[in-house]
Amino acid sequence: MTQDNLQRVRTLRRQIIAETSHGFADWNLVQKLLDELMENHHQYKQFALKENLSLYK
């Protein structure tokens, strides 16, 4: 699950960059992608803290 969260964060980041790199972004889509990115990031961060990974020390 956590590797999935991290991979999803990377994918969402690329999608957000692609969507906003031109002047005609669908801001509803961008907001949805950002919400999903934050949720996956939060889940990964909680795992990292629980597993004592140095990324979030």
Side-chain angles (χ1 to χ4, degrees):
M1 174 71 172
T2 57
Q3 231 10 60
D4 292 338
N5 289 117
L6 190 56
Q7 186 58 41
R8 187 69 183 139
V9 165
R10 290 176 179 150
T11 301
L12 288 164
R13 180 181 172 276
R14 286 191 297 268
Q15 287 179 303
I16 291 166
I17 290 169
E19 184 64 32
T20 57
S21 65
H22 54 81
F24 304 102
D26 177 351
W27 294 110
N28 290 326
L29 174 60
V30 171
Q31 184 62 55
K32 180 179 164 255
L33 294 171
L34 284 170
D35 290 344
E36 190 176 340
L37 181 133
M38 292 305 294
E39 180 180 327
N40 280 277
H41 178 266
H42 178 73
Q43 290 172 2
Y44 183 77
K45 183 177 179 181
Q46 291 304 311
F47 167 78
L49 290 171
K50 185 177 96 176
E51 296 299 317
N52 204 21
L53 298 178
S54 63
L55 180 62
Y56 288 104
K57 282 187 177 179

